[in-house]
Amino acid sequence: MSVFHALSELLQKSGFLSLGWQNWVMIAVSFVLLYLAIVKKFEPLLLLPIAFGMLLVNVYPDIMADPLMLSSYEGEVVEGAHWYDTGVLRLIYSGVKSSIFPCLIFLAVGAMTDFGPLLANPSSLLLGAAAQLGIYVAFIIAVCSDMIPGFEGFTAREAASIAIIGGADGPTAIYLTSKLAPHLLGPIAVAAYSYMALIPLIQPPIMRLLTTKKEREIKMEQLRKVSKAEKIIFPIVVTVLCILFLPSVAPLLGMLMLGNLLRESGVTDRLSDTAQNSLCNIVTILLGVSVGATAEGKTFLDFKTLLIIAIGLLAFAFSTAGGVLFAKLLNLVTRGKINPLIGSAGVSAVPMAARVSQVEGRKYNATNFLLMHAMGPNVAGVIGSAVAAGYLLMLFE
Amino acid sequence: MDLSVLAAESGMSAGEAFSISSTGMIVVLIVLIVLAVLVLLISKGVRAAQGKGKQTEEAVAAAPSASAAQSAAPAPAVPVVNGAPLPENQSAGQLELYDCDEKSAAVIMAIISNESGIPLNHLEFKSIKAIEE
């Protein structure tokens, strides 16, 4: 074998010739996301694993190989293949596909969440409901997408899965999509998590557009102190009420409230600590990298995916607008006691959305501390999006 | 039309999508309003129960300590600096600052004093630390 032949073989088998243009586009996209995560610090804990998963799968697509068709929707079963021939990230991805990761993330979110601001100001729950507007607007848009010439449109189940992106809640989006339209799990999960990470970029212009400078300067009164008993009773009441209303959300809401009870009960500090830190970190890495790895250029870059991403962005925008507009209404009713900027936190991306309200509020009044006020609608949004998912599941499962 | 049958179909009219969306929004609002009402009821119940508990404790505690209270000094201690009591709008002592300049620390202390209604000379600050956003 000549040196020339060996070099030629090497080149033939390298990624340079086997990758398509779509892979190169996605590699470029992953670089942009990595830049946003590392340099701009846009939710790096989430965005960095997603971007790296995206990079890995486009440099080496076989890392998501699925010879047994465990969770692929294209291709065929390879004769004689074993489960261990499956790509590493495809194996990890089964945690997403089976909804184990979303439920564990909800457990961690529950353990990290202080429902105190919501209990101190129950009207926050209304903001959490109003900020689900994007889900329903996106549903109508997705259903009407068959009006686009040459596009067959989305089925009702697909439309419902796309719509849930507007809830700004990654675990809920994955949970619902895996039940209603599992073949769209990749693009929907990527859209939901990427937009959640890009909240500091998406929300502020909408918040500024819908509020006046005077409204943004409103200083809110300090919240009352919530007793421990209230904090312990709350997760139990939510579990019973919401699951009786919408049984299909039991795994998600149940885990969220279990996590919160571990935190508030005061007798399971070790479990609460594990859920908040180790477990959350482990699941975030696995979930982020495997979700990112679903964005393989050749299957990801098609018109349907681009449409899902566009509708997802609209859903986010409408959810933000719904929350801000409802907060404006509450501000009118309470005669200037509610800063409408906290309405945008009704989308359930915890705590990113609340942090955006705080940062925006301080730009207009340096002595304004909106974070705790925004946490109320923010955690209400988690419950709201789970309820919305439960409703869609009830209709279409 | 049965909704489960509707779901199985490939398409749906805009009108049907609108009615499903409106109903969905109403369902979310209703569930969260019910939850808000329950939260209010729980808060009132817990506070009432705790109020009663406190009143009972105070009544028990008040009886034996009545005579002792007469001999106790009524005024809270005010720090003394250079032989003179510290004015209400001033503080004294050591304060550790982490990633926080003195001006910001002064503003934070003034805000806390103002919001809590406790004069600055009755508050003790040990450290102020900036939390990274």
Side-chain angles (χ1 to χ4, degrees):
Chain A
M1 185 184 277
S2 67
V3 174
F4 178 76
H5 185 75
L7 286 175
S8 162
E9 275 289 298
L10 189 69
L11 188 66
Q12 292 293 327
K13 288 189 177 169
S14 74
F16 291 106
L17 291 185
S18 63
L19 300 184
W21 65 267
Q22 299 97 327
N23 295 112
W24 293 108
V25 171
M26 291 310 293
I27 288 170
V29 172
S30 75
F31 287 163
V32 174
L33 295 182
L34 281 172
Y35 169 80
L36 291 176
I38 297 166
V39 181
K40 295 285 177 186
K41 295 191 170 63
F42 282 165
E43 297 308 324
L45 297 180
L46 212 55
L47 200 52
L48 196 142
I50 291 176
F52 204 81
M54 201 179 275
L55 175 65
L56 268 178
V57 79
N58 284 289
V59 173
Y60 178 61
D62 278 355
I63 205 160
M64 279 292 268
D66 192 6
L68 296 175
M69 296 289 290
L70 294 174
S71 60
S72 302
Y73 299 93
E74 284 173 15
E76 51 192 48
V77 176
V78 177
E79 283 293 320
H82 299 94
W83 69 269
Y84 46 76
D85 298 321
T86 306
V88 173
L89 291 187
R90 177 68 68 183
L91 283 176
I92 296 174
Y93 183 65
S94 45
V96 177
K97 186 87 184 18
S98 59
S99 299
I100 292 173
F101 289 168
C103 289
L104 288 177
I105 286 281
F106 254 50
L107 178 80
V109 169
M112 284 191 275
T113 302
D114 176 10
F115 282 106
L118 184 148
L119 294 169
N121 181 15
S123 64
S124 304
L125 280 157
L126 302 180
L127 293 173
Q132 307 310 316
L133 177 71
I135 294 178
Y136 300 107
V137 173
F139 180 73
I140 297 171
I141 296 172
V143 165
C144 295
S145 64
D146 58 357
M147 291 175 187
I148 299 170
F151 182 62
E152 76 273 23
F154 293 108
T155 65
R157 285 192 178 111
E158 288 175 336
S161 304
I162 296 164
I164 202 69
I165 300 173
D169 191 335
T172 305
I174 289 173
Y175 181 77
L176 183 83
T177 309
S178 64
K179 305 267 178 217
L180 297 185
H183 55 287
L184 294 183
L185 197 50
I188 287 175
V190 168
Y193 274 100
S194 304
Y195 289 145
M196 276 168 69
L198 297 176
I199 266 187
L201 211 64
I202 299 169
Q203 284 197 322
I206 301 165
M207 292 158 81
R208 277 177 233 137
L209 185 74
L210 296 176
T211 52
T212 62
K213 190 168 177 281
K214 199 179 163 192
E215 285 172 332
R216 293 192 287 268
E217 285 172 349
I218 293 173
K219 210 171 164 182
M220 292 181 68
E221 281 172 21
Q222 206 172 354
L223 293 169
R224 75 172 173 89
K225 202 167 178 257
V226 176
S227 70
K228 192 178 174 182
E230 287 172 76
K231 288 184 178 181
I232 291 175
I233 295 170
F234 180 73
I236 300 169
V237 168
V238 174
T239 305
V240 174
L241 177 80
C242 290
I243 295 177
L244 284 180
F245 259 112
L246 298 158
S248 47
V249 289
L252 277 185
L253 265 182
M255 293 302 264
L256 179 77
M257 292 304 149
L258 169 64
N260 192 249
L261 196 57
L262 291 178
R263 170 198 172 97
E264 301 298 352
S265 66
V267 292
T268 52
D269 287 348
R270 278 166 50 195
L271 302 186
S272 171
D273 179 56
T274 302
Q276 287 184 44
N277 299 297
S278 324
L279 181 68
C280 181
N281 292 341
I282 291 168
V283 179
T284 301
I285 294 170
L286 298 179
L287 183 103
V289 80
S290 57
V291 160
T294 57
E296 201 270 309
K298 284 173 191 162
T299 52
F300 192 81
L301 274 187
D302 66 358
F303 182 69
K304 221 172 189 177
T305 304
L306 297 178
L307 198 57
I308 288 170
I309 288 172
I311 295 173
L313 183 60
L314 280 176
F316 251 68
F318 273 102
S319 286
T320 305
V324 173
L325 291 174
F326 200 84
K328 275 172 82 94
L329 181 70
L330 282 182
N331 183 42
L332 271 178
V333 173
T334 58
R335 292 179 189 172
K337 286 186 178 166
I338 306 267
N339 188 321
L341 289 179
I342 68 165
S344 64
V347 302
S348 55
V350 181
M352 295 85 105
R355 217 181 285 157
V356 170
S357 299
Q358 157 75 7
V359 171
E360 281 302 303
R362 284 204 70 182
K363 278 184 192 164
Y364 297 92
N365 183 349
T367 62
N368 212 352
F369 291 92
L370 292 177
L371 188 64
M372 291 318 284
H373 298 284
M375 279 308 287
N378 207 188
V379 293
V382 179
I383 300 172
S385 60
V387 171
Y391 168 75
L392 293 171
L393 272 174
M394 189 191 75
L395 287 186
F396 300 120
E397 195 176 15
Chain B
M1 190 179 200
D2 185 11
L3 283 169
S4 57
V5 175
L6 191 74
E9 289 176 4
S10 59
M12 180 187 275
S13 73
E16 285 166 329
F18 183 77
S19 71
I20 285 177
S21 292
S22 319
T23 317
M25 200 66 211
I26 292 167
V27 167
V28 175
L29 264 172
I30 289 174
V31 173
L32 293 192
I33 286 172
V34 171
L35 205 54
V37 172
L38 276 175
V39 166
L40 279 174
L41 291 176
I42 293 167
S43 302
K44 282 195 175 163
V46 169
R47 276 188 281 177
Q50 285 178 339
K52 269 187 186 175
K54 266 187 187 170
Q55 276 176 0
T56 320
E57 275 175 24
E58 277 169 12
V60 172
S65 63
S67 56
Q70 285 175 344
S71 59
V78 173
V80 176
V81 178
N82 296 333
L86 195 66
E88 271 198 358
N89 60 351
Q90 282 185 26
S91 63
Q94 286 293 315
L95 171 65
E96 287 181 36
L97 300 178
Y98 301 97
D99 299 327
C100 178
D101 58 80
E102 284 187 5
K103 197 176 166 188
S104 306
V107 170
I108 290 167
M109 291 194 291
I111 290 170
I112 291 171
S113 172
N114 183 40
E115 293 280 327
S116 63
I118 303 168
L120 208 51
N121 61 352
H122 282 69
L123 285 171
E124 185 184 0
F125 296 89
K126 289 182 176 169
S127 67
I128 296 176
K129 184 180 180 183
I131 298 168
E132 255 186 60
E133 278 183 5

